[in-house]
Amino acid sequence: MSVEERVKRIIADQFRVKPEDLKPETSFTKDLMAESIDTVELLAALEEEFGFEIPDEDAEKNQTVGQAIEYMKRKVAEKEKKGG
Amino acid sequence: MQVIEAIKEKARREKRRIVLPESGEERILRAACQASAEGVAEPILIGNEREVGAQAGKLGVSLGGIAIEDPSASDRLDPYVREYLKIRSGKEVTEALARRILLKNLYYGAMMVRVGDADGMVAGAATLTASVIKAGHLIIGFQEGIGTPSSFFVMETGNPEVGEGGVLIYADAAVNPDPDPEQLADIAISSARSARALLGWEPRVAILSFSTKGSASHPLVDKVIKAAEIAKAKAPSLLIDGELQADAALKADVARKKMKDPGPVAGRANVLIFPDLNSGNISYKLTQHVGGARAYGPILQGFAKPISDLSRGARSEEIAGVIAIVSVLAQSILPESGQGK
């Protein structure tokens, strides 16, 4: 599964929506009605899936599904580069 | 005596356990050491004992008598995970997820406070305010009747003509940018409770505006009037009034001139509630820098148990002061409902 698919699946699980309904512009707070405390678990679920920590400072900047996917892609690429 | 000295004196009389999740910060270690030496709290540091010890050694800070709690090695982690799943029942949170969250110092610290293994928490030297608030909201929850966390400053003006011998509480000058009437009412009620718990005052709360009892009409004024009505209905035992201008709130002669019946608040308010973050933040900074007042805060309020944020640049002495403040707040939780110790 691609990073994009994995991120979408986790977001979909957390907010109980279908992955195919998540668009890049889907906003966590406006469209998914995320309360700030829901994002704590979303973050933990992403960390659990990808195996690295996501600082709150970074998380605050990702307001849409598209931004979160791009962020995770970048982080995964950085980790691979470091690891390899 | 400076207000902070009086607060420390009060903190020393009934010491409370204050958890500090940011043991990786030099300032936190120094503040823990100072708070412990001054006897204003029993600090608990969260972190790996060996690492914290090594860093303290490097800094020449003595951690003698200060407890260090390591989430990953603690027997408390399992019961905390169970407690977390209980809080979030109905959300289908997995045990692995709960464990991952509680292995973060901030959430572990909040859980210690929730279950009573600590009495209060101070964090924010290296953590976003939003994160501290999130941990408080998620793990500790709000005080009865409160749905909005906020913050207050203790302002020591040096002018005995105003407030409580020159001391005032200002809120909210740090957290809520544009509170609606319900939120503003929550800020007023939380601030009254904070004033009572921290300073032992009978709070007289003025919700401020550019109008005094209908002297101006504008939607911005309507918001304040509505907030005062809600606050009074929610907490009928508290002395709350609004809308009032700052001079009518603080000066008895102005209150008498502007109002037929000033009542118990106008002219002698000791808690000032600002209609939004613009006015609150600007006022506290002007009082500090133009008026020469000392400002202590922002201290978070509205949570079921006391936690506070720190400003990122806080010095270790300031952090030790916040530890004392949270310690005193922990001496009387929910004073209104009679649950205070």
Side-chain angles (χ1 to χ4, degrees), chain B:
Chain B
M1 184 163 42
Q2 280 183 25
V3 172
I4 193 66
E5 293 309 320
I7 289 169
K8 284 183 175 177
E9 191 54 51
K10 197 168 169 191
R12 271 190 285 269
R13 283 202 291 270
E14 255 184 88
K15 253 198 276 186
R16 290 288 182 264
R17 298 158 302 167
I18 305 301
V19 62
L20 308 167
E22 300 166 303
S23 63
E25 283 292 310
E26 176 184 335
R27 291 167 295 153
I28 292 289
L29 295 187
R30 291 192 192 281
C33 182
Q34 184 182 340
S36 174
E38 291 180 341
V40 297
E42 289 174 25
I44 302 169
L45 291 163
I46 301 186
N48 177 285
E49 199 167 342
R50 205 167 35 81
E51 286 170 18
V52 175
Q55 215 210 337
K58 218 164 55 188
L59 297 171
V61 171
S62 157
L63 297 180
I66 296 177
I68 299 173
E69 177 81 11
D70 183 351
S72 60
S74 172
D75 294 341
R76 287 168 168 161
L77 186 61
D78 286 334
Y80 285 4
V81 167
R82 285 196 293 277
E83 181 69 16
Y84 187 95
L85 295 175
K86 211 171 77 191
I87 301 171
R88 298 293 275 168
S89 62
K91 282 271 177 182
E92 291 174 29
V93 178
T94 64
E95 203 182 308
L97 207 63
R99 191 171 296 272
R100 178 173 278 277
I101 290 167
L102 287 165
L103 282 170
K104 299 183 179 188
N105 290 359
L106 183 66
Y107 294 91
Y108 189 93
M111 188 59 91
M112 288 185 80
V113 176
R114 176 186 173 88
V115 303
D117 289 331
D119 302 305
M121 177 168 83
V122 173
T127 308
L128 295 176
T129 300
S131 302
V132 179
I133 290 176
K134 241 186 262 185
H137 181 178
L138 178 61
I139 307 278
I140 296 173
F142 297 131
Q143 266 175 30
E144 208 190 322
I146 299 294
T148 303
S150 57
S151 71
F152 69 94
F153 280 86
V154 177
M155 304 298 298
E156 188 172 24
T157 67
N159 172 6
E161 309 264 294
V162 298
E164 206 77 17
V167 181
L168 290 159
I169 280 194
Y170 280 18
D172 173 3
V175 174
N176 295 284
D178 189 15
D180 64 25
E182 282 79 16
Q183 292 173 318
L184 198 52
D186 276 5
I187 294 168
I189 294 168
S190 296
S191 303
R193 289 175 177 169
S194 297
R196 195 178 277 169
L198 182 64
L199 301 161
W201 295 350
E202 180 52 44
R204 297 181 297 275
V205 182
I207 310 184
L208 301 181
S209 180
F210 56 84
S211 165
T212 299
K213 299 288 169 174
S215 65
S217 56
H218 190 278
L220 289 174
V221 178
D222 295 340
K223 170 173 121 169
V224 173
I225 295 172
K226 186 93 186 290
E229 282 168 8
I230 296 169
K232 281 189 237 180
K234 270 174 92 170
S237 65
L238 291 173
L239 301 176
I240 299 175
D241 203 0
E243 91 289 17
L244 294 170
Q245 284 163 287
D247 54 356
L250 292 171
K251 309 289 280 185
D253 55 329
V254 179
R256 276 195 302 273
K257 220 175 283 170
K258 291 194 174 184
M259 301 162 74
K260 256 189 283 178
D261 173 20
V265 175
R268 49 199 298 260
N270 52 17
V271 178
L272 302 185
I273 306 302
F274 296 89
D276 63 16
L277 192 51
N278 270 325
S279 51
N281 189 270
I282 292 167
S283 297
Y284 116 73
K285 287 190 184 290
L286 285 179
T287 310
Q288 192 180 13
H289 294 288
V290 178
R294 278 200 191 84
Y296 305 98
I299 307 296
L300 292 181
Q301 59 182 2
F303 294 103
K305 293 182 170 184
I307 59 171
S308 194
D309 187 29
L310 295 164
S311 61
R312 280 284 179 114
R315 290 174 291 118
S316 65
E317 308 85 72
E318 289 168 336
I319 297 172
V322 174
I323 292 172
I325 288 172
V326 170
S327 200
V328 170
L329 288 172
Q331 288 173 354
S332 59
I333 293 163
L334 290 182
E336 241 167 273
S337 61
Q339 289 179 18
K341 287 187 244 181

Side-chain angles (χ1 to χ4, degrees), chain A residues 11-56:
Chain A
I11 297 172
D13 278 357
Q14 284 295 313
F15 294 104
R16 292 180 203 169
V17 294
K18 291 189 203 125
E20 54 269 31
D21 290 342
L22 296 171
K23 305 279 173 273
E25 64 275 16
T26 303
S27 152
F28 290 113
T29 48
K30 290 198 197 91
D31 301 315
L32 299 173
M33 304 303 282
E35 272 194 76
S36 68
I37 55 174
D38 296 322
T39 60
V40 174
E41 282 156 5
L42 173 61
L43 216 59
L46 287 168
E47 290 177 346
E48 192 79 7
E49 168 75 17
F50 288 93
F52 55 81
E53 284 201 19
I54 303 164
D56 283 352

